Amino acid sequence: MPAKKTTILAADDDPQLLRLMTRNLQLEGYDVIAASDGQQALELVENNNLDLLLLDVMMPKMDGFTVCYRVREFSAVPIIIVTARGQDQDKVRGLDLGADDYLTKPFSVDELLARVRAVLRRAQFTARENAQGLRATTTTGELTIDYSQHIVIMAGREISLTPTEYRIIAYLAQNVGRVVTQDLLLEHVWGPEYLGESHMLQVNINRLRRKMEVDHTQPRYLLTKVGVGYSLAALPIGTPTKE
């Protein structure tokens, strides 16, 4: 049987831009489903097996932020939020709601395709990474990262993570107890083209803390080395998450 094509949902209320995105993604070999408003986009996510979402922020019936929030209630499918130029607060808000990346209007076809390839690449924890001779798991305190199943467990409970969040915590776990610089994390998780985009890392770290830590304002696992980077604390196995 032929391999299943990667399926992308593109949602935008600008018909000309939607046609442009759809056509160019199709020329790259992707299957594309189009939506012209947020409600339609959410329904298509619920009823289709998708590999990536491209969500415009400003859409009728339901904006891209709301769609992103609703999707994250039941799916870890990668999401790219499409924002207007200069709206940095929209980028941060989208990332904070669970988006994996952003695309700023107006954008070129090359930039669109590059972002799509980058997010799809991050969504797949490649066979090469799994075959690097890593331990099957890393455990620190009550936190366990299972590389073979791509899951993270805290105090016996699986934590629901996006592909980007998983890649961050897995890379920190491979270097448990050591500080990883921001640039190293950005290059490993997002790719070399994202060096310098520290806000993407900060937002995802904060989101991970809210999911993992008892008190995300006083983290015990995900630690910051100001001006340098981040580390996953090396704690005795079984150390309770509460004092």
Side-chain angles (χ1 to χ4, degrees):
M1 292 178 61
K4 174 187 175 294
K5 280 189 176 182
T6 298
T7 304
I8 297 173
L9 170 68
D12 199 297
D13 64 337
D14 181 337
Q16 184 175 355
L17 181 57
L18 189 57
R19 285 195 300 270
L20 175 72
M21 289 193 294
T22 299
R23 181 57 179 154
N24 282 281
L25 289 167
Q26 288 173 336
L27 287 172
E28 287 295 302
Y30 302 116
D31 277 341
V32 183
I33 301 173
S36 57
D37 64 66
Q39 184 62 48
Q40 182 186 22
L42 181 60
E43 291 172 358
L44 288 168
V45 176
E46 292 172 336
N47 294 304
N48 290 274
N49 184 18
L50 302 170
D51 298 290
L52 174 66
L53 312 184
L54 278 163
L55 293 178
D56 185 35
V57 168
M58 300 302 295
M59 290 189 293
K61 297 187 180 179
M62 187 182 297
D63 64 39
F65 295 132
T66 304
V67 177
C68 184
Y69 175 78
R70 295 279 297 275
V71 169
R72 281 290 172 257
E73 292 180 324
F74 65 87
S75 174
V77 61
I79 298 173
I80 298 177
I81 285 283
V82 182
T83 70
R85 184 173 298 281
Q87 299 299 310
D88 289 342
Q89 69 272 24
D90 283 353
K91 299 173 186 176
V92 172
R93 184 181 176 191
L95 293 169
D96 198 43
L97 287 170
D100 297 89
D101 206 344
Y102 63 85
L103 189 62
T104 304
K105 293 181 180 179
F107 50 81
S108 66
V109 171
D110 287 344
E111 185 180 3
L112 166 69
L113 297 177
R115 291 279 177 168
V116 166
R117 285 192 296 266
V119 172
L120 289 171
R121 182 180 67 236
R122 294 198 300 270
Q124 300 169 350
F125 208 75
T126 65
R128 178 184 58 80
E129 289 173 303
N130 283 334
Q132 287 179 332
L134 302 173
R135 298 182 299 276
T137 63
T138 292
T139 298
T140 175
E142 291 190 303
L143 177 70
T144 295
I145 295 87
D146 186 323
Y147 303 111
S148 62
Q149 298 188 65
H150 303 172
I151 61 174
V152 176
I153 298 169
M154 173 65 79
R157 179 181 63 87
E158 182 178 346
I159 302 171
S160 177
L161 300 180
T162 67
T164 299
E165 291 167 350
Y166 174 78
R167 286 179 67 91
I168 292 172
I169 194 65
Y171 190 59
L172 290 174
Q174 293 162 26
N175 297 276
V176 64
R178 298 194 295 270
V179 176
V180 178
T181 67
Q182 291 191 41
D183 281 349
L184 273 176
L185 267 170
L186 283 165
E187 183 170 9
H188 179 83
V189 175
W190 281 271
E193 63 271 32
Y194 289 82
L195 292 180
E197 298 198 33
S198 59
H199 63 284
M200 297 189 67
L201 187 53
Q202 292 164 1
V203 170
N204 277 275
I205 290 287
N206 289 337
R207 214 165 62 216
L208 273 167
R209 283 175 173 153
R210 290 198 297 268
K211 292 182 177 184
M212 291 172 46
E213 304 280 1
V214 172
D215 181 356
H216 70 271
T217 65
Q218 298 183 20
R220 299 183 65 236
Y221 287 89
L222 277 174
L223 307 180
T224 301
K225 182 72 171 179
V226 178
V228 181
Y230 301 94
S231 66
L232 181 65
L235 302 173
I237 293 175
T239 301
T241 54
K242 297 181 180 180
E243 294 296 331

